[in-house]
Amino acid sequence: MESSPDMISLADRARPLKKSHIRTISKAVKAVDGINLGQGICDLPTPAPIRERTHEAIAANRSIYSHHAGIEALREAILEKARTFNELPASTIDEVVVSAGSTGAFVIAAMTLLQEGDEVILFEPYYGYHRNILKLTGATVRYVPLGSPDDAFDPEAMEAELTDRTRAVIVNTPANPSGKVWRRDELEALLTVMQKHDLIAITDEIYEYMTYDDVEHVSLGALPGAYERTITLSGFSKTYNVTGWRLGYAVGPGPLLEKMGLMNDLLYICAPRPLQHGMLAVFGDLDDDYYASLRADYHERRSLMCETLEAIGFDVPWPEGAYYAFADVSPIQHRPGFSSDEEAAETLICESGIGCVTGRSFYSDPARGATKLRFCFGKELPVLKQACDQLRTAFG
């Protein structure tokens, strides 16, 4: 007797998996040939030096597996960047692992550190992939509110969620979706709690070059006494417009990174070899002007996005970093089609052809995000202007 797919028994970890709200919105926007401000695709052009170096690597047939932690030249370049930009006290390339995107680096960090019975602190609104990957490890996630850029870290709120099983804390700065950038004094307060309770931090800093209004990006691992209990994650996707290339990295204490490298080998073998060579252009061919231009360009996009949403009537806390506006529809809930985040997202697609992500995607309790929408402004400027024009025409 032949078995049907419905009769196949799934692993417990697979049963609850569902298509993310982000993917669902992307599909709905495509169906109406609209503009997707939901998924953080970042469809700006990849810098020419990166493309050129990658072409050279492919032409040179650099196609075989690399070291499981990445090619030596790239790890050396990342090490130097971590020491200078992030001010981490890293000393050798043994403290660097290149993986399949920053999400891949998060996976190997979580799989190396956590197991069933452990508990992890996650600040919300959170990035959904963080929450779902943590659950795959069998760990229990405990949530601490940290809603908007103006909200300050509250050590007491975190300590209220700690138990003798708490193992780690996840920090995302600049944060997706809220745009919050953790201040130095907040990180110092967090470190005090970590040291008191012997916790490890995994920090996702993928938007580290995207900060506004002279807000300073600070890496937790740079604080005195933090590096030995911190895994710092970042990558190339957002800053260099290569989201589909899947190249990220982790920096942290050697003994821990050694095990993460072996986990990387087990799960991915290595990051794509020719693309690793291409990324050397980041450190050899792009200068300070590139980053200054990046910040100025995103500052302009942030203003355009936030001013448009405010003109429609949304409450919009302007992000301090990253490239998302996390808007609240509460002020216009009296209008037809805006009673909730889900209805508002559908209304935006139907009436303006613009896609965004429902707020409930970022909270453990959907009710907490039921009036919020996330808009990504990491788009080519003419496309973003068109999207904003469509929003103003439909709802202004």
Side-chain angles (χ1 to χ4, degrees):
M1 176 179 177
E2 294 186 4
S3 63
S4 70
D6 291 339
M7 296 173 61
I8 297 174
S9 177
L10 298 175
D12 290 344
R13 72 177 68 89
R15 289 194 186 95
L17 294 181
K18 297 178 182 179
K19 183 185 293 185
S20 70
H21 288 280
I22 295 174
R23 296 287 187 184
T24 301
I25 287 294
S26 296
K27 182 178 179 180
V29 174
K30 186 176 181 180
V32 300
D33 195 26
I35 298 176
N36 188 359
L37 301 185
Q39 192 171 7
I41 294 175
C42 188
D43 57 3
L44 282 68
T46 303
I50 296 176
R51 289 184 277 117
E52 291 165 2
R53 288 223 192 187
T54 303
H55 290 159
E56 292 170 2
I58 293 171
N61 200 31
R62 291 177 169 172
S63 303
I64 63 172
Y65 299 133
S66 75
H67 186 282
H68 60 259
I71 62 172
E72 185 171 323
L74 184 57
R75 292 162 70 199
E76 288 176 344
I78 292 170
L79 174 65
E80 180 60 21
K81 174 263 179 186
R83 291 170 60 110
T84 53
F85 178 80
N86 301 99
E87 299 183 349
L88 302 180
S91 57
T92 76
I93 63 170
D94 294 332
E95 298 167 63
V96 178
V97 172
V98 179
S99 190
S102 61
T103 298
F106 187 88
V107 169
I108 63 172
M111 295 294 286
T112 300
L113 284 175
L114 303 171
Q115 59 192 359
E116 189 170 355
D118 289 340
E119 296 185 354
V120 185
I121 297 296
L122 186 63
F123 298 98
E124 59 178 1
Y126 52 71
Y127 175 49
Y129 277 66
H130 289 164
R131 195 276 298 269
N132 295 338
I133 289 166
L134 291 171
K135 285 183 172 293
L136 284 180
T137 69
T140 297
V141 181
R142 291 185 172 271
Y143 304 93
V144 175
L146 194 62
S148 74
D150 294 332
D151 287 349
F153 166 65
D154 181 354
E156 292 184 1
M158 177 174 165
E159 293 210 72
E161 293 297 327
L162 299 181
T163 74
D164 57 3
R165 291 186 173 184
T166 308
R167 170 79 169 140
V169 57
I170 311 302
V171 176
N172 182 201
T173 183
N176 171 12
S178 71
K180 176 182 172 57
V181 177
W182 282 62
R183 301 190 309 268
R184 185 178 297 273
D185 63 309
E186 292 178 292
L187 293 172
E188 290 171 343
L190 173 64
L191 178 59
T192 298
V193 177
M194 289 170 55
Q195 291 171 328
K196 178 180 177 182
H197 297 276
D198 194 23
L199 304 180
I200 295 173
I202 303 174
T203 69
D204 183 342
E205 304 179 26
I206 190 69
Y207 299 102
E208 58 193 345
Y209 288 105
M210 299 173 190
T211 57
Y212 311 108
D213 304 328
D214 298 321
V215 172
E216 177 190 22
H217 172 71
V218 180
S219 293
L220 172 64
L223 301 183
Y227 184 71
E228 57 265 31
R229 58 176 68 246
T230 302
I231 301 170
T232 303
L233 309 182
S234 192
F236 304 98
S237 294
K238 314 296 185 178
T239 304
Y240 310 102
N241 313 324
V242 287
T243 55
W245 290 32
R246 312 314 304 135
L247 284 170
Y249 55 85
V251 182
L256 180 53
L257 268 287
E258 178 186 8
K259 291 297 185 183
M260 285 178 56
L262 296 176
M263 187 68 72
N264 195 58
D265 186 22
L266 181 63
L267 296 177
Y268 308 112
I269 308 300
C270 65
R273 176 70 179 264
L275 305 187
Q276 292 188 57
H277 288 278
M279 280 304 149
L280 291 172
V282 167
F283 307 100
D285 303 326
L286 301 182
D287 56 20
D288 291 343
D289 289 343
Y290 176 84
Y291 301 97
S293 177
L294 177 142
R295 281 188 286 270
D297 289 347
Y298 274 112
H299 191 280
E300 179 182 4
R301 289 171 170 82
R302 181 187 69 150
S303 296
L304 177 60
M305 185 82 262
C306 292
E307 288 170 358
T308 297
L309 296 174
E310 288 178 337
I312 294 172
F314 293 170
D315 177 25
V316 188
W318 284 40
E320 296 174 333
Y323 53 44
Y324 305 102
F326 201 41
D328 194 321
V329 305
S330 296
I332 60 170
Q333 279 190 296
H334 62 281
R335 294 171 56 173
F338 288 92
S339 65
S340 71
D341 59 327
E342 290 185 318
E343 186 179 53
E346 183 176 349
T347 299
L348 291 177
I349 293 175
C350 293
E351 297 191 20
S352 68
I354 303 302
C356 60
V357 183
T358 54
R360 67 188 62 215
S361 307
F362 308 101
Y363 291 90
S364 55
D365 178 0
R368 296 198 63 214
T371 64
K372 299 179 186 297
L373 298 171
R374 191 195 75 174
F375 296 82
C376 173
F377 52 85
K379 311 289 289 185
E380 291 192 19
L381 194 55
V383 175
L384 184 62
K385 286 181 177 178
Q386 179 63 36
C388 290
D389 286 344
Q390 291 175 207
L391 287 168
R392 286 176 180 266
T393 298
F395 306 108

